[in-house]
């Protein structure tokens, strides 16, 4: 299993319960596909470095996880089809 980290930004107009539900959803995607969530770090609402689709702030969340090499592709697919995601990135951590 390889170590990865993902950071995603949720739309600032989402309610707090919807933000928490989305974080649990992504943790569930990782765990049901054979991954192990090591750490979830919710940073809260922050200002973006630049405007994206007329949005200039969002809810940031960092998740560190271990998984097989196929899982990031599935997680990326889920991020792309989920409403409310402003930006996301998945990075393989260096050994």
């Amino acid at each position: 299993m390889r170590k990865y980290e993902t950071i995603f930004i949720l739309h600032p107009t989402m309610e707090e319960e919807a933000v928490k539900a989305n974080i649990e959803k992504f943790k569930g995607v990782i765990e049901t596909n054979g991954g192990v969530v090591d750490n979830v770090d919710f940073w809260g609402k922050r200002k973006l470095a630049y405007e994206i689709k007329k949005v200039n702030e969002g809810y940031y969340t960092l998740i560190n996880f271990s998984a097989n090499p196929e899982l990031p592709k599935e997680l990326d697919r889920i991020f792309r089809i989920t409403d409310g995601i402003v930006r996301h990135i998945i990075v393989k951590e260096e050994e």
Side-chain angles (χ1 to χ4, degrees):
M1 291 178 72
R2 297 180 182 163
K3 290 194 174 282
Y4 296 93
E5 69 179 19
T6 182
I7 297 178
F8 56 92
I9 306 169
L10 295 168
H11 202 277
T13 58
M14 294 180 89
E15 294 182 11
E16 192 171 325
E17 289 123 22
V19 171
K20 289 179 182 176
N22 273 310
I23 293 169
E24 290 301 317
K25 172 184 171 182
F26 300 130
K27 280 176 50 180
V29 167
I30 293 167
E31 291 168 349
T32 56
N33 288 304
V36 176
V37 175
D38 300 325
N39 183 34
V40 177
D41 193 9
F42 179 67
W43 296 352
K45 191 183 269 192
R46 301 265 176 112
K47 188 167 174 53
L48 301 176
Y50 55 90
E51 192 173 280
I52 302 170
K53 298 178 187 173
K54 299 184 180 180
V55 174
N56 58 8
E57 62 182 11
Y59 292 103
Y60 282 71
T61 305
L62 167 72
I63 299 177
N64 298 85
F65 63 98
S66 302
N68 58 12
E70 293 80 34
L71 180 63
K73 293 174 190 162
E74 176 64 14
L75 189 59
D76 184 55
R77 186 185 74 79
I78 301 291
F79 279 138
R80 289 179 189 276
I81 63 173
T82 302
D83 292 336
I85 295 287
V86 176
R87 274 287 193 268
H88 73 277
I89 188 168
I90 304 168
V91 180
K92 180 181 156 197
E93 291 184 1
E94 294 294 321
E95 297 296 322

